[in-house]
Amino acid sequence: MRVALCQIEVGDDPKENLDRVLAALAEAAGTPGGCDLAVFPEASFLRFGNDLAAAVEPLDGPWVTAVREAARDHGVNVVIGAFEPSGTDRVFNTVIGVSSDGELVGSYRKLHLFDAFGDHESERVAPGDRPVVLDLAGHRLGVITCYDVRFPELARALVDQGADILVIPAAWGQGVFKEEHWTTLVRARAIENTTWVVAVGKAPDRTRPPRGLPGGVGRSRLIDPMGTVVTDLGPFPSVRVLDLDPGLTARVRETLPSLSHRRRDVL
């Protein structure tokens, strides 16, 4: 399986962000050997610090439609972060899955909202109400969005629902020791669940958003079921296509059968 980590910049204009998405998708698809799955950051539609409720579109709106058409044209499955209306003055922070024929196969609304480190995501975003596993590229992808990664019970619930790969789109906040938290947590989710993790953050902001502090740390990572960091994209915009061997999961679990050692009788 060929996976593209699409670590793009995300700014204040949805049209410019869409152009970056389409360019990154074309680059991934044009890589020698092609690409089966492209994963983009959380909130690729528009960076935080903008008036999300004023800019938001439904999932059948022009922005998502353009992503779907590009996925179909390139024959690549896509996981990408957007926003959608919630019916209130807040929006849903939504990750969508698009198949290689351009179909919207599912969506996940972020469960855990980032009310920490002085931020208050819940003022602008309404929470989702269920974990989601997407059937894409012949696999079961469990979706975790940014701050969600601090809650290991979500990753475990996704694995229990049959996820064989965890995808983690993020727009990780900058701050003291925050980057260390990101790199540690995404690796921990791979190790404790003996599963592949595809963690894609947005490239760091180079300017301040209209409100709040700059965000994004980059450091997108592909991590194997033993916890090996196959790649780390560092701090700059980048698109990297890598091989993900699904068969490795079974081999690791033969050596490290921790999931089968769970004490379900007491936990």
Side-chain angles (χ1 to χ4, degrees):
M1 180 181 180
R2 303 265 294 164
V3 177
L5 282 64
C6 299
Q7 182 172 291
I8 62 170
E9 293 181 313
V10 179
D12 303 322
D13 183 341
K15 175 60 169 64
E16 291 180 0
N17 296 331
L18 178 61
D19 290 342
R20 294 186 182 105
V21 169
L22 300 184
L25 187 54
E27 180 179 347
T31 301
C35 172
D36 300 303
L37 172 69
V39 181
F40 286 84
E42 171 193 24
S44 290
F45 173 80
L46 185 68
R47 69 172 168 172
F48 289 99
N50 285 274
D51 187 342
L52 303 179
V56 70
E57 297 178 4
L59 296 186
D60 59 358
W63 201 92
V64 170
T65 298
V67 174
R68 292 176 57 188
E69 290 172 349
R72 181 195 62 215
D73 291 345
H74 293 297
V76 175
N77 298 275
V78 174
V79 172
I80 190 167
F83 295 106
E84 62 174 319
S86 73
T88 70
D89 59 352
R90 297 189 292 172
V91 301
F92 289 121
N93 183 345
T94 301
V95 170
I96 63 169
V98 178
S99 70
S100 58
D101 58 6
E103 293 302 314
L104 181 62
V105 300
S107 61
Y108 164 68
R109 295 167 175 170
K110 187 177 182 182
L111 288 175
H112 302 95
L113 303 182
F114 184 54
D115 289 356
F117 290 94
D119 205 341
H120 302 280
E121 185 179 8
S122 65
E123 293 179 354
R124 307 173 296 277
V125 175
D129 59 6
R130 61 187 177 89
V132 171
V133 178
L134 300 171
D135 290 303
L136 276 179
H139 290 277
R140 302 267 290 158
L141 310 182
V143 185
I144 294 170
T145 304
C146 202
Y147 188 54
D148 279 335
V149 77
R150 293 184 181 273
F151 301 86
E153 62 272 21
L154 174 57
R156 184 55 55 83
L158 292 167
V159 170
D160 283 347
Q161 290 179 26
D164 57 352
I165 298 170
L166 298 176
V167 292
I168 309 177
W172 201 256
Q174 298 174 10
V176 176
F177 222 66
K178 292 290 303 303
E179 190 172 324
E180 291 295 323
H181 286 189
W182 164 254
T183 58
T184 300
L185 288 163
V186 296
R187 192 175 181 204
R189 299 297 83 85
I191 294 169
E192 68 197 8
N193 292 292
T194 53
T195 191
W196 284 94
V197 164
V198 185
V200 178
K202 76 168 187 174
D205 287 338
R206 295 183 294 174
T207 61
R208 293 180 69 95
R211 291 184 296 278
L213 298 174
V217 298
R219 303 298 303 273
S220 300
R221 303 182 127 200
L222 178 65
I223 306 169
D224 80 11
M226 189 59 87
T228 303
V229 179
V230 177
T231 196
D232 184 320
L233 298 193
F236 302 111
S238 181
V239 175
R240 190 168 302 172
V241 180
L242 299 145
D243 289 313
L244 184 159
D245 176 11
L248 181 60
T249 303
R251 297 198 297 274
V252 168
R253 288 176 178 176
E254 288 177 1
T255 302
L256 179 60
S258 56
L259 289 178
S260 66
H261 292 161
R262 294 165 64 188
R263 287 295 306 276
R264 293 178 180 271
D265 56 325
V266 294
L267 294 173

